[in-house]
Amino acid sequence: MKLGAIEAGGTKFVCAIGDEEGSIFEKIVIPTEAPEITMPKVYEFFKGKGIERMGVGSFGPIDLNEKAGTYGQIQKTPKIDWIGFPLADSLSEKLGVPVTVDTDVNVAALSESRWGNATDVDTCLYITVGTGIGAGAVVNGQTLKGLSHPEMGHIGVRRHEEDSFSGACPYHQDCLEGMASGPAIEARWGKAGVELSEDPRVWEIEAHYLAQALVNYIYIISPERIIMGGGVMQQTHLFDLIRKKVVEMLNGYVSSPRLTEENINEYIVPPGLTNEAGVKGALGLAMK
Amino acid sequence: MKLGAIEAGGTKFVCAIGDEEGSIFEKIVIPTEAPEITMPKVYEFFKGKGIERMGVGSFGPIDLNEKAGTYGQIQKTPKIDWIGFPLADSLSEKLGVPVTVDTDVNVAALSESRWGNATDVDTCLYITVGTGIGAGAVVNGQTLKGLSHPEMGHIGVRRHEEDSFSGACPYHQDCLEGMASGPAIEARWGKAGVELSEDPRVWEIEAHYLAQALVNYIYIISPERIIMGGGVMQQTHLFDLIRKKVVEMLNGYVSSPRLTEENINEYIVPPGLTNEAGVKGALGLAMK
């Protein structure tokens, strides 16, 4: 069966045609401009290619409530041209196929669970730490959503005792994203993270916030693996700092051999997929 | 089909025989003593009754990992006689039926989703606030578990600015349970919650911690309804305090009509089931 897949990002739409094995036959990249400029190019690419279903991993916020009449519609976003745009319905009407949408991070989690670093488990969490912080999860083969999509990047965190930075989130000030996103690092230290690789204070504080978040995700969802991606995680020395703090903070409370000092390396890991992770995950969505 | 159900609590085992509609035909209550005293009475009750499957909602911690050789085994608990007891395997062997176990709070969530205050949604969360704080969730009809069972009562919370209480959790000191359980209230104020109903300071602080937890659950799981039970929630004036703070803390970030001041009353609610919630949920487990 031929399937359509779109990774709809803030700067580009990656559109692909593939199959249920995750193979991709044809791919195109279209810049994200206003919907009336971008979307006709998207329809054009897919038209007449014989796809039977489509999956879309989209920037957001996007309505994921299948019971709402506004399923697959872009909600309030800084990209004002897109507010209210019915992404799922318009694709479905123009191409005559059922369209499933999900958040970009849920799609990344799905991609890792099918083809990446979480193929051996049933429940995994993917977190991206970059311009923003977002996370998605797969539970028993399905992405986690309910009332709406989760917004795991905005949970409350406790301040590091040496950190007086007020926080960069416009909604919550010092939530996780407000304290630990790329822009938060830059605002706190006056330089981008990439220029601060050698300063241990920066990463001690960064790891403090990210480890807290992971511990809360473990207490609340109990994923069998956590995958950390995004620009900030390119500072690969962060992984060991985070792993160490997670074990310390859990303080032996959750009995699992995966959460010990010896095994935590295989529990908190980088993504297994790099190229095509987004479109492959969107293919995964189309399969359901 | 006849089904067996056990609500295995710290003070009593409620054992019942029922069916797939949630009807209960026969019920017995057995005190929780050491396994060698309690369990023979349990086997005796079920023997020869023609049950085909069994569900057990158990005190914990209990191993829920179906891939582990220790599925359904009680883990480290203050009830030392029960440490390492293979609850699922022993029932399965003695009665010759498949046994599904889950945490008491997951079972309560399942019960509410099938017969209580969450029958109209696919994803709900149940939190009990009493001697301890625990929460369980149902996502797309299944209870949420992964690596192990969630331990949602132990997430980190931010201190109320007028609260200098050090916290009552032996593992994490000032986690949610450490700050907001019944014993935490008593340790902070020198009196049990029931004697403090009229003191607004007590409930302002209590609501501060519980609302934070609910907000984190909303960001991470996005449940379509939250049900709050347990002894502390008998202080029913707490509901409105918590609802108000949840709306404030979310600060409009999650767009959902359910999370507005007008509709939050129907989002954060007390349990719909009182009697038999535990055994009914265990029946629900047996059905899967």
Side-chain angles (χ1 to χ4, degrees), chain A residues 32-101:
Chain A
T32 308
E33 298 176 79
E36 58 275 20
I37 299 170
T38 301
M39 293 306 295
K41 298 177 189 168
V42 173
Y43 308 141
E44 188 57 35
F45 171 72
F46 286 107
K47 216 161 238 174
K49 300 277 170 72
I51 60 170
E52 293 183 43
R53 305 184 55 84
M54 172 173 274
V56 183
S58 178
F59 71 93
I62 185 163
D63 193 335
L64 299 185
N65 187 342
E66 291 172 38
K67 287 171 241 163
T70 47
Y71 174 74
Q73 187 166 312
I74 307 281
Q75 297 171 321
K76 59 183 174 187
T77 158
K79 304 184 78 65
I80 52 169
D81 290 335
W82 288 85
I83 295 176
F85 183 76
L87 187 58
D89 283 357
S90 64
L91 284 162
S92 181
E93 272 167 38
K94 293 282 181 183
L95 302 170
V97 296
V99 175
T100 305
V101 291

